[in-house]
Amino acid sequence: MVSCAILKWRVDSPAPSVDAVLSDKSAQMTPKELEESLKEDIEKAYDPREQAVDVLYALQRQHGHLSDEAMREASRLLGMTPLELDELATFYDFLYREPVGKYVIHVCDSVVCWMHGHQSVMDYIAERLGVGLGGTTPDGMFTLLPTCCLGYCDRAPAMLINGRVYGELTGEKIDRILQELREEEPPLALDR
Amino acid sequence: MPKLIIDDREIEVPEGTRVIEAAEHLGIMIPRFCYHPALGAAGACRVCAVKVIEGPVKGIQMSCMMEARDGMVVSTTDEEAMEFRRFVIELLMLNHPHDCPVCDEGGHCLLQDETVSGGHAHRRTSMKKRTYRDQDLGPFIRHEMNRCIHCYRCSRFYQDFAGGLDYGPLRLGDRTYFGRFTEGRLESPFAGNLIDVCPTGTLTDKPSRYSIRRWHGERGPSLCISCSLGCSTVANAYLRDLVRIEANYNESVNGFFICDRGRFGFYYAKHPERPRRARVDVSEAPTPEALREAAKRLARIAATHGPGAVACIGSTRSSLETMGALVRLCETSGWRKPVFFSDPAMQRKVRTAVSRIDKRLHVSLREIEKADFILAVGADPLNEAPMLALAMRQASRNEAAVAVIDSRPVVLPLDFERLAVARHDVEACLNVIMREAVSDEDLKIAIEKLPGGADGAASRAADFYTGIRNAGEGLPPEVRVRALKIAAQLKAAHRPIIVCGVDAVCETTPALAADHASILSGLKERAGIFYILPGANAFGAALLSSPIGEGASSFFEEIEKGEVKALVVVECDPLGQFPDRRRIEKALGNLELLVVLDYLPSETVKQAHIFVPTNTHYESGGCFVNQEGRAQFTPPVYAGGEPNRQETGGAHPPRVFRSHIPGGGPEPAWKLLAPLGAAPRGEAPELRGNLRSILDGLHPAFEQLADSPIPPVGERPSTYYARFLAEGALHVGSLAPQDCGALAFASSDAGEKAPGVGKDDERLEIILTEWTFGSEELSSYSPYILQAEAEKEPCACMQTEDASRLGISDGDLVALRSAGGGGLTVRIRVVENMARGCIILPRHGRLAWQDLEPSPVQASVERVKK
Amino acid sequence: MHPQVLLQNFKGNRSASIDEYRANGGYEALTRALLERTPAEVEQMVLAAGLRGRGGAGFPAGKKWSLIPEGAAHPRFVVVNADEMEPGTYKDRMVIHVDPHLIIEGVILTSYAVSAEKAYIFIRPSYESSALILERELEVARREGLLGQNILGSEFSLDIVVHRSAGRYICGEATALLNALMGKRPNPKQPPPYATEKGLWNLPTVVGNVETTACVAPIVRNAITGGSGEPAFTKLYCVSGKVKRPGCYELPMGTPLREIIEEAAGGLPEGSELKAVLPGGVSTRYMTPDLYDTPMDFDSLAKIGHRLGTGAIIVFDQHTCMVAATLNIIQFFARESCGWCTPCREGLPYIRDILTQIESGEGKDEMIPKLRRMSEHLWRTYCAFSPGAVSPLESLLTYFEDEVREHIRMKRCPFRK
């Protein structure tokens, strides 16, 4: 007899509605709206530097990646030099200084997913998309990258695409996901 | 004071000393990469590991991260510690290229030293080495990222120490890259120190690339004469070619660092056009002949028109020897007393400043770092004396409050409070701050402590403070609010320092600043005054100049009047460095004889009837007194001559024996001066003993110089951080107060009046000023300095409101015209952070600022149609 | 069924709402603490309960709070570390998803205890869903007067913001996290000064783990209402790897490893035999089957030279190549090293290369002492990252040296067909 609660967290069905999603908002805003909203956030922060990563995120969503121009824009908004921001942008995993596809597929390659065959997931996606690790599909839809443990080890192997995690991947499931992403804007960032 | 044992030897060190420093006191040099005395510990390289046998945390520890504690027992030779250090070196060498033969750091590379001393000689891995793409970091510094060992010294110096924000670490892990956002010149004027700070060949001196091994050259301690601070340097010469300047450690002046103007500004000494042969009229002549001819003609003019028809102009870049010899020459020949400053006002300002530095108020550059409040009055440190700005930054990092009262758009690598007021309001601001920061009670206490209270200074001071009760009335409200904030900071301070410039201030300001500093010194634990003077030896020049208060401009008037017929110009370029060029040109044209002695290929040299080449201080050495009165002897570094590279076009030195040095004609100016005079010629005394004989009786201050030791010529550094000049340095200090010193407390009425700038008046006051690069005389001959500032077009600054009133926008080309008919065309930068009613114009080599009359000068502004 | 404290409001596929949280006694601790108890008393309650930090180091939480010097400057900050990136660990996500208000109440109580004015929840990018849930529930709490000015009519005011990180393992290190929050490069910073004195913007700052923070409200409620349970002494164990039911289980602190794996996680799949276990994420040492009955708590593990870490149990079976597993782990660390100090920056890629050679059949016998030497020296680094990184390596060499040697002898990985 199992004498404890067996808990397993899944959000297969839509989780409680989430009203404000910065991610999608900033991509939809006009540059002017975005600038105003970022300025407001910077104003609210204890120190502008606190918002550095947030601003970089927002501009990345707006521009697709952090181009030199986007970096200069961030520098202007935050009053930090482009170099100071580049020190951060080049440090973090989820800030892209090079052009990426509309969807960035981060396949977890840490030890639990590794045990559950992350390599075959990676190979499968690479084959399906016809790109290697780090590559972007010619239509600009997908970029394939590795990432470290996503914290979904209970549902390994897992991958993360634009803020949403997909677990217990199989070839079939991957096909479905890629198909979905190609066809429609997915609902707000929820784990699947 | 903790007492500890390192390698079986006991040592007592001050509280807070780190173990790595304590070991150094014992002469034990624990390996280090990231630790640097000026930058502190980072704990990054892990190569300074030692074994702690007794102490709070035992075992292998980093000696840079650990403070020495009482009873600690440390071993640097413990097998485990040595094994760990070897391991770290091996790791660092995993990716380091074996390109030492073509690396400029080779031979003075810390990584080489530590690798050899650690015994790591065999590569044990077949791993591929990491490679990077290098960046073009501008004309000064060469980037070779593959050599980087990631000690973070560069970014810690550049960002933390120097406040630069355009170079730093990018990416992470073993991909960490030190560089810029995009390629381009490093913006900080202290960037050159990265060359010294980098323990490998990652950042090396670009101009001297592939031209010297440190042990090949003639290498010796020297001095920077590109501003009045007198930073210590090490000069390296090879095959008659001065190739590289490094910073030399001087614990009282520049510490470990120098600015880029000092590091890359020495090329005048090997300028291809440097005049190396004497000339009489249009034909070359041997130096003795030219001297004889000059002496003959000078004697004739003196005989015909009286000795008063001969005048001499020196400059503040000459050594004390040369200045002294010039004074003596004039004295013995009965000529007019020589001048060293461009105009009488400047001479008076510098003399006032010099007279006010006494034991109480004297502060060295290093002490600036320890101040907790700095008020810069009419000073633009980054442009006028760059290393001062770096020292102020260190104070600021230690939480000192910094404020600047100046008309110029002052930029500093630190946060500061700015009072951007017109030149004639600077004193009012200073008075408001002092009046507010010093209560009546404090004032009483301070006055009692004033030196010379007996001679009425006390009552003058009291009256003065009563008089400035309403000093702030004429000031704009926002300025007053800020002044009050600064006053509150000053009130709370324990170690305030007033920094005062003499260039862009009213004549009374230097004295006023010293007066206020005097009051503060009676109230605070320590208070000081720190002047910025015009030129490396302006202090010495002030001591040697006559109290009559003449300047070079006075002589030009005399020439116009026909009173002066012959002019001897010694290491000075009136045509290039003084305003009012047309008038000077005309005056020189009217002379019967112009004798010029110099080492620069200047305009004035070209005009000379008789020219005699002189030596730079790299070749002849000399004594220079910096702005705080510190006499520093700099020995000759090399014998001079035309660089082999120039003589042979870069080929191998010719394999022929010669008895002379090619292009080695020039001699030190002081040796050449005596033969010019009417006095019986003596044998030229040797340098070592000469200073006394030259300066004897010229000023009481020099008596101290008599027996001072001169460091041995050409000494090589025996340790990593050599300290020669610091020990050889001597503080000349206070000039006897009978001159013009003592507390002035002149009523501010004596100050200059505000030029009448009305709302509709289109005339603005022109304030001539310095730029870090491009305005200073010597460094302007450096192709690398020129290259560095080439991208920045010289421009004049104008306040936003003035600009909009006059309909001028940023980037406009304007014609400035003075009432006297002078003028020039210049591009305008519109700036918010500066005073209204004036235009800030750099004395830039690419601007014809000399076409204006001497300041104060006002000009109309008119936009030039394209 | 063991008592559930942190996960008591588990609602299947959705998060518990504020009403559901309240129905089980939620916000009672806060209401009463704010009105009836001083901050010092709250601090004392947590101290007395002996709550130890669940981020991995196990430092007593109440003690950490008390390190803020008397009369220290304001504003003060509380930072909740939800940058959970230790491979195998997902307990923070679980708590946030199950019961976001448990965290929110914990943050408010922590902030009250240390008189902080602002709190941050620092969250990793792959937990975007958690960030969204938190932001939504924070808004609910704000509407309910549980955040903002004069909370519940008391003198105490607080705002909580969610700060999204852009993803690096090192950000989970408290000092690196603070640097990250200040828009600096997230390099760790060795104390002194300690964060409690000079943390965020040089002001007093308390950094706490999500699970630790989640424990605060139950402890305070328990102390105020005089309840009898020992809420501080359950632990969230995340089980993953070769088990039938990978998941996050709330069990009494000190539950034996065997019970966690066999009973909670349903044991290993058919045909699998236990080979090794990482008890607390990849920065801990491999445990071998002979330690199967070890109680999983800080002290019991420390006694036998192991660490509880994050309590993330990763199970390996006999089909797993331990060299390859270790290589994977080292690869992770080599990629995530911040690059500050030499042994970590240069040593980990070096180890990675050697292990790659061994795994691909190019190994040599002399590599084993080399690896041993590395694993020893990599303890002497600037922060705890590298000592954690070499823990699996060191235990690989201790417990599975034969397997390593077999790779070298066979000139291939014996597990590869």
Side-chain angles (χ1 to χ4, degrees):
Chain A
M1 239 346 251
V2 177
S3 62
C4 61
I6 296 163
L7 298 181
K8 194 137 184 204
W9 181 251
R10 295 182 188 212
V11 197
D12 284 329
S13 54
S17 73
V18 174
D19 315 319
V21 187
L22 178 76
S23 52
D24 293 289
K25 224 168 58 188
S26 61
Q28 287 154 12
M29 276 191 264
T30 68
K32 201 167 173 201
E33 280 168 359
L34 178 64
E35 173 155 350
E36 287 310 312
S37 109
L38 290 177
K39 273 186 179 159
E40 201 178 300
D41 290 344
I42 293 168
E43 191 65 35
K44 269 192 271 177
Y46 182 81
D47 187 294
R49 293 187 79 103
E50 207 174 282
Q51 288 290 314
V53 169
D54 304 70
V55 169
L56 291 175
Y57 258 143
L59 293 175
Q60 175 167 290
R61 288 192 198 99
Q62 177 90 27
H63 295 263
H65 77 286
L66 289 170
S67 60
D68 284 3
E69 192 199 337
M71 294 297 289
R72 290 203 180 90
E73 210 175 312
S75 146
R76 185 174 50 80
L77 285 166
L78 289 157
M80 293 164 73
T81 64
L83 181 271
E84 283 182 284
L85 287 165
D86 211 12
E87 286 186 10
L88 306 180
T90 55
F91 192 97
Y92 290 113
D93 203 13
F94 288 86
L95 295 174
Y96 315 122
R97 284 287 273 116
E98 312 251 321
V100 287
K102 184 176 175 196
Y103 296 106
V104 184
I105 304 173
H106 283 274
V107 180
C108 171
D109 64 359
S110 288
V111 68
V112 178
C113 286
W114 168 80
M115 250 191 279
H116 287 91
H118 96 278
Q119 193 57 51
S120 53
V121 170
M122 200 87 97
D123 294 346
Y124 188 83
I125 299 175
E127 191 244 296
R128 278 294 142 131
L129 297 178
V131 296
L133 208 50
T136 301
T137 53
D139 60 358
M141 279 296 273
F142 298 104
T143 296
L144 179 60
L145 289 170
T147 192
C148 64
C149 182
L150 293 167
Y152 281 74
C153 315
D154 52 339
R155 304 173 58 207
M159 65 179 178
L160 176 87
I161 306 178
N162 291 24
R164 180 204 315 255
V165 177
Y166 302 84
E168 288 165 347
L169 296 173
T170 59
E172 214 173 277
K173 194 168 174 186
I174 292 170
D175 284 341
R176 208 173 59 232
I177 294 163
L178 293 180
Q179 193 54 33
E180 262 179 39
L181 292 176
R182 277 207 183 92
E183 280 170 3
E184 52 174 339
E185 200 74 25
L188 303 180
L190 299 168
D191 309 327
R192 312 184 77 186
Chain B
M1 296 236 300
K3 216 183 261 179
L4 69 162
I5 295 170
I6 304 175
D7 291 349
D8 304 324
R9 288 157 69 196
E10 194 178 66
I11 182 155
E12 196 171 348
V13 290
E15 202 73 50
T17 307
R18 289 166 192 274
V19 171
I20 197 170
E21 295 158 348
E24 226 174 301
H25 287 304
L26 285 170
I28 301 166
M29 207 63 178
I30 299 174
R32 78 276 310 268
F33 290 119
C34 67
Y35 168 82
H36 183 286
L39 307 178
C45 74
R46 316 307 277 180
V47 84
C48 68
V50 295
K51 174 109 161 222
V52 179
I53 295 157
E54 282 305 328
V57 196
K58 294 193 183 60
I60 300 295
Q61 295 295 325
M62 300 308 128
S63 57
C64 71
M65 298 295 283
M66 228 184 346
E67 279 188 11
R69 291 278 154 75
D70 212 32
M72 232 179 201
V73 179
V74 174
S75 166
T76 71
T77 54
D78 174 89
E79 188 40 48
E80 202 186 341
M82 300 216 322
E83 148 70 12
F84 181 67
R85 296 202 299 258
R86 273 197 297 273
F87 167 75
V88 171
I89 295 282
E90 184 171 0
L91 285 184
L92 291 173
M93 291 304 291
L94 281 181
N95 283 302
H96 190 82
H98 292 181
D99 64 347
C100 304
V102 292
C103 173
D104 270 286
E105 193 84 355
H108 61 280
C109 172
L110 200 54
L111 182 61
Q112 259 179 353
D113 293 352
E114 308 293 24
T115 305
V116 172
S117 71
H120 173 68
H122 299 282
R123 183 170 170 80
R124 304 192 296 171
T125 169
S126 53
M127 246 170 86
K128 273 189 185 162
K129 289 189 182 185
R130 166 182 63 209
T131 55
Y132 295 101
R133 248 180 231 140
D134 300 326
Q135 284 183 324
D136 181 352
L137 299 178
F140 295 154
I141 295 173
R142 172 76 201 196
H143 196 217
E144 290 275 356
M145 253 316 282
N146 289 351
R147 296 176 183 151
C148 179
I149 58 164
H150 303 87
C151 67
Y152 288 80
R153 265 193 196 182
C154 59
S155 61
R156 283 155 59 222
F157 171 79
Y158 198 81
Q159 300 194 346
D160 304 347
F161 198 90
L165 292 171
D166 60 316
Y167 173 92
L170 299 163
R171 301 189 236 165
L172 78 164
D174 62 336
R175 290 89 73 209
T176 306
Y177 182 91
F178 292 89
R180 281 170 50 85
F181 177 64
T182 50
E183 295 201 333
R185 183 169 83 82
L186 292 166
E187 286 163 15
S188 168
F190 309 106
N193 292 301
L194 295 176
I195 297 162
D196 293 348
V197 159
C198 175
T200 70
T202 308
L203 299 165
T204 51
D205 189 287
K206 198 172 191 174
S208 69
R209 193 158 204 240
Y210 298 147
S211 48
I212 186 178
R213 284 281 178 227
R214 193 179 258 187
W215 66 85
H216 277 161
E218 292 159 274
R219 172 174 164 80
S222 192
L223 196 65
C224 176
I225 58 167
S226 276
C227 83
S228 60
L229 296 177
C231 296
S232 293
T233 62
V234 178
N236 295 271
Y238 183 53
L239 299 175
R240 302 191 303 273
D241 193 0
L242 194 58
V243 252
R244 189 187 296 158
I245 295 285
E246 297 153 22
N248 196 358
Y249 177 73
N250 186 329
E251 68 182 343
S252 308
V253 184
N254 53 307
F256 288 92
F257 306 114
I258 56 174
C259 72
D260 288 359
R261 185 157 95 195
R263 188 182 296 268
F264 302 105
F266 65 90
Y267 288 79
Y268 63 89
K270 59 181 212 185
H271 198 282
E273 285 160 37
R274 176 172 163 187
R276 295 179 183 275
R277 279 164 199 88
R279 177 168 57 75
V280 176
D281 299 320
V282 288
S283 43
E284 281 186 4
T287 292
E289 200 179 293
L291 287 173
R292 267 196 303 278
E293 182 61 24
K296 203 170 79 193
R297 293 193 199 176
L298 285 166
R300 201 168 54 216
I301 289 169
T304 321
H305 305 284
V310 180
C312 300
I313 300 177
S315 81
T316 55
R317 66 169 146 100
S318 288
S319 68
L320 213 48
E321 291 85 340
T322 297
M323 289 178 175
L326 187 58
V327 173
R328 283 233 176 282
L329 169 68
C330 295
E331 222 173 59
T332 50
S333 310
W335 302 338
R336 286 164 188 262
K337 279 183 178 295
V339 297
F340 300 97
F341 296 94
S342 60
D343 57 87
M346 182 56 89
Q347 182 190 313
R348 285 193 296 269
K349 281 193 271 192
V350 179
R351 283 179 61 89
T352 307
V354 163
S355 73
R356 298 304 301 274
I357 301 170
D358 61 20
K359 273 208 178 86
R360 271 174 337 128
L361 297 182
H362 161 262
V363 280
S364 69
L365 189 57
R366 308 307 292 156
E367 283 171 90
I368 294 272
E369 295 183 358
K370 298 187 188 95
D372 60 356
F373 174 89
I374 299 171
L375 181 59
V377 180
D380 183 359
L382 200 59
N383 284 318
E384 295 180 320
M387 283 302 289
L388 171 60
L390 194 61
M392 286 166 71
R393 174 167 171 87
Q394 306 322 310
S396 170
R397 288 173 76 203
N398 295 325
E399 288 166 14
V402 177
V404 175
I405 316 175
D406 200 282
S407 50
R408 293 165 285 187
V410 174
V411 172
L412 289 173
L414 50 100
D415 287 333
F416 64 99
E417 200 66 49
R418 179 200 304 274
L419 297 180
V421 294
R423 205 164 58 100
H424 47 82
D425 281 336
V426 167
E427 292 185 6
C429 286
L430 175 58
N431 288 339
V432 171
I433 292 168
M434 284 301 294
R435 183 64 257 196
E436 202 58 40
V438 179
S439 69
D440 288 345
E441 234 160 85
D442 284 346
L443 185 64
K444 263 184 220 144
I445 300 169
I447 285 175
E448 270 169 37
K449 291 189 190 160
L450 283 179
D455 71 357
S459 65
R460 280 209 309 284
D463 290 349
F464 182 83
Y465 267 74
T466 316
I468 60 171
R469 210 171 275 282
N470 302 319
E473 265 173 9
L475 297 173
E478 80 272 7
V479 170
R480 250 182 307 178
V481 170
R482 278 196 214 172
L484 295 189
K485 188 178 160 200
I486 297 167
Q489 291 168 336
L490 173 54
K491 207 177 170 87
H494 302 288
R495 297 175 308 280
I497 289 176
I498 296 180
V499 168
C500 182
V502 299
D503 187 14
V505 296
C506 298
E507 215 179 307
T508 44
T509 309
L512 184 71
D515 286 343
H516 284 312
S518 271
I519 294 291
L520 290 176
S521 77
L523 295 174
K524 308 287 187 184
E525 180 190 318
R526 177 96 169 91
I529 180 98
F530 190 93
Y531 289 108
I532 305 171
L533 301 182
N537 210 353
F539 196 108
L543 295 182
L544 286 168
S545 57
S546 79
I548 303 166
E550 286 182 316
S553 61
S554 330
F555 287 166
F556 297 125
E557 275 169 38
E558 299 288 299
I559 297 170
E560 281 167 3
K561 284 192 231 151
E563 302 284 329
V564 168
K565 299 284 185 192
L567 197 60
V568 179
V569 179
V570 181
E571 297 179 342
C572 180
D573 177 16
L575 283 173
Q577 298 299 315
F578 294 169
D580 220 0
R581 176 159 53 194
R582 273 175 311 152
R583 187 177 176 193
I584 297 173
E585 250 165 13
K586 211 167 142 214
L588 296 186
N590 286 341
L591 284 171
E592 279 181 30
L593 178 65
L594 175 62
V595 180
V596 180
L597 288 76
D598 207 347
Y599 46 80
L600 294 177
S602 72
E603 277 307 303
T604 310
V605 166
K606 285 180 197 144
Q607 300 287 318
H609 300 121
I610 297 178
F611 167 76
V612 183
T614 64
N615 265 349
T616 66
H617 72 292
Y618 297 111
E619 296 141 12
S620 62
C623 178
F624 292 81
V625 188
N626 80 352
Q627 41 64 248
E628 41 144 345
R630 184 180 302 273
Q632 300 190 103
F633 296 90
T634 167
V637 177
Y638 74 125
E642 191 181 355
N644 175 65
R645 216 183 259 240
Q646 282 168 25
E647 193 203 7
T648 66
H652 195 276
R655 289 186 176 84
V656 288
F657 291 103
R658 299 188 277 211
S659 58
H660 69 284
I661 298 172
E667 289 191 66
W670 61 265
K671 269 192 189 170
L672 301 168
L673 284 170
L676 288 181
R681 255 167 263 151
E683 211 175 296
E686 285 297 309
L687 172 63
R688 186 171 271 271
N690 81 325
L691 195 58
R692 179 83 203 252
S693 62
I694 293 174
L695 297 176
D696 198 25
L698 292 183
H699 194 283
F702 297 135
E703 279 160 26
Q704 296 176 52
L705 287 175
D707 302 313
S708 59
I710 301 174
V713 170
E715 185 184 332
R716 287 160 188 254
S718 49
T719 58
Y720 190 62
Y721 304 114
R723 338 177 158 206
F724 336 76
L725 292 181
E727 284 157 18
L730 169 86
H731 176 231
V732 173
S734 57
L735 174 63
Q738 66 268 20
D739 261 326
C740 48
L743 292 157
F745 284 116
S747 109
S748 52
D749 296 347
E752 283 169 48
K753 287 290 173 290
V757 181
K759 263 223 148 36
D760 305 322
D761 195 344
E762 289 183 11
R763 287 191 173 295
L764 298 176
E765 185 185 6
I766 306 282
I767 295 180
L768 284 174
T769 188
E770 298 297 321
W771 268 13
T772 314
F773 298 129
S775 71
E776 191 269 330
E777 183 181 14
L778 298 172
S779 61
S780 297
Y781 287 93
S782 160
Y784 305 102
I785 297 274
L786 294 181
Q787 206 183 324
E789 54 88 57
E791 58 203 52
K792 196 175 162 195
E793 189 187 349
C795 58
C797 293
M798 184 188 268
Q799 216 274 339
T800 322
E801 276 184 32
D802 289 335
S804 65
R805 195 182 68 236
L806 298 170
I808 288 170
S809 38
D810 194 66
D812 278 355
L813 207 57
V814 301
L816 304 178
R817 265 180 253 290
S818 65
L824 74 154
T825 306
V826 64
R827 203 167 291 283
I828 288 287
R829 280 279 315 280
V830 176
V831 183
E832 180 66 50
N833 283 328
M834 61 171 277
R836 267 162 262 167
C838 57
I839 286 178
I840 310 299
L841 181 68
R843 297 187 184 92
H844 197 283
R846 285 190 277 147
L847 289 179
W849 61 271
Q850 299 96 331
D851 292 348
L852 288 168
E853 292 84 4
S855 52
V857 59
Q858 293 173 47
S860 65
V861 186
E862 194 182 316
R863 193 160 55 174
V864 177
K865 302 232 163 42
K866 280 175 203 152
Chain C
M1 173 95 177
H2 292 291
Q4 300 286 292
V5 180
L6 305 177
L7 300 179
Q8 61 176 317
N9 291 325
F10 178 63
K11 300 290 174 210
N13 281 342
R14 59 178 181 81
S15 311
S17 68
I18 190 166
D19 295 332
E20 285 162 337
Y21 179 64
R22 275 191 165 136
N24 266 336
Y27 288 116
E28 190 186 344
L30 179 69
T31 315
R32 293 193 53 185
L34 283 185
L35 302 176
E36 297 167 18
R37 305 298 166 104
T38 64
E41 281 167 348
V42 174
E43 183 183 301
Q44 192 50 45
M45 290 171 200
V46 175
L47 199 60
L51 174 63
R52 290 174 71 173
R54 301 289 169 83
F59 192 79
K63 192 155 174 217
K64 194 191 262 183
W65 302 356
S66 67
L67 289 179
I68 292 189
E70 195 104 1
H74 282 277
R76 299 174 185 179
F77 301 104
V78 166
V79 180
V80 178
N81 184 349
D83 194 72
E84 179 179 58
M85 282 181 81
E86 181 72 34
T89 314
Y90 45 95
K91 61 190 175 65
D92 296 352
R93 166 173 62 92
M94 208 53 79
V95 182
I96 296 169
H97 280 203
V98 169
D99 208 357
H101 285 280
L102 182 64
I103 308 291
I104 297 173
E105 189 180 4
V107 180
I108 305 174
L109 280 167
T110 307
S111 304
Y112 180 66
V114 301
S115 307
E117 286 86 345
K118 187 163 186 183
Y120 298 84
I121 301 174
F122 187 99
I123 201 156
R124 60 175 299 193
S126 60
Y127 286 1
E128 180 61 21
S129 54
S130 317
L132 293 171
I133 290 169
L134 276 173
E135 278 178 338
R136 184 189 66 206
E137 297 306 319
L138 282 170
E139 197 45 53
V140 172
R142 226 166 264 139
R143 274 204 306 271
E144 300 270 325
L146 296 164
L147 282 174
Q149 295 298 310
N150 300 90
I151 296 171
L152 298 171
S154 70
E155 293 289 290
F156 180 64
S157 304
L158 175 77
D159 197 26
I160 306 178
V161 295
V162 173
H163 180 95
R164 285 172 172 79
S165 171
R168 275 302 167 199
Y169 177 78
I170 195 66
C171 296
E173 205 277 348
T175 55
L177 183 148
L178 292 181
N179 277 336
L181 205 43
M182 290 189 280
K184 298 184 191 169
R185 276 170 75 86
N187 295 119
K189 176 86 192 69
Q190 226 172 55
Y194 287 89
T196 42
E197 275 172 59
K198 286 186 169 186
L200 209 52
W201 310 114
N202 268 335
L203 290 159
T205 306
V206 166
V207 185
N209 173 262
V210 168
E211 190 187 344
T212 321
T213 309
C215 291
V216 172
I219 286 173
V220 174
R221 187 170 72 220
N222 205 51
I224 293 180
T225 59
S228 56
E230 286 184 326
F233 301 111
T234 65
K235 171 84 189 96
L236 296 176
Y237 296 100
C238 301
V239 190
S240 58
K242 297 289 164 119
V243 289
K244 281 190 192 142
R245 286 192 300 266
C248 178
Y249 302 96
E250 181 173 11
L251 296 168
M253 177 69 103
T255 305
L257 183 58
R258 181 190 297 275
E259 200 181 317
I260 300 172
I261 293 176
E262 297 293 333
E263 296 187 20
L268 276 69
E270 297 309 315
S272 278
E273 268 171 46
L274 184 69
K275 183 177 187 181
V277 162
L278 282 169
V282 298
S283 329
T284 54
R285 303 174 69 234
Y286 293 118
M287 286 169 77
T288 41
D290 54 306
L291 300 173
Y292 212 18
D293 291 309
T294 312
M296 294 289 282
D297 60 61
F298 291 107
D299 298 331
S300 310
L301 282 166
K303 231 180 278 166
I304 55 166
H306 287 271
R307 284 196 318 119
L308 180 60
T310 59
I313 297 163
I314 304 171
V315 180
F316 301 87
D317 69 0
Q318 83 278 24
H319 302 301
T320 317
C321 169
M322 297 313 288
V323 174
T326 311
L327 170 60
N328 176 285
I329 291 168
I330 291 290
Q331 205 147 15
F332 162 83
F333 281 112
R335 194 163 66 197
E336 294 297 314
S337 163
C338 80
W340 181 256
C341 70
T342 310
C344 179
R345 181 187 61 244
E346 308 288 348
L348 291 171
Y350 191 24
I351 295 173
R352 178 193 62 202
D353 283 25
I354 294 176
L355 283 178
T356 307
Q357 286 180 39
I358 295 176
E359 175 64 12
S360 61
E362 293 156 29
K364 296 192 183 84
D365 279 330
E366 73 250 29
M367 286 175 174
I368 292 177
K370 219 178 201 176
L371 285 173
R372 270 225 172 83
R373 176 175 175 236
M374 304 281 280
S375 71
E376 259 169 57
H377 286 324
L378 260 65
W379 271 81
R380 289 152 184 164
T381 45
Y382 188 79
C383 76
F385 178 96
S386 186
V390 292
S391 293
L393 174 68
E394 177 272 319
S395 50
L396 171 79
L397 298 173
T398 308
Y399 304 123
F400 300 101
E401 187 180 338
D402 292 347
E403 199 173 312
V404 182
R405 289 203 184 274
E406 212 181 334
H407 278 76
I408 297 171
R409 195 172 44 78
M410 293 173 67
K411 295 200 191 315
R412 68 175 178 88
C413 173
F415 294 86
R416 226 171 261 178
K417 271 129 218 155

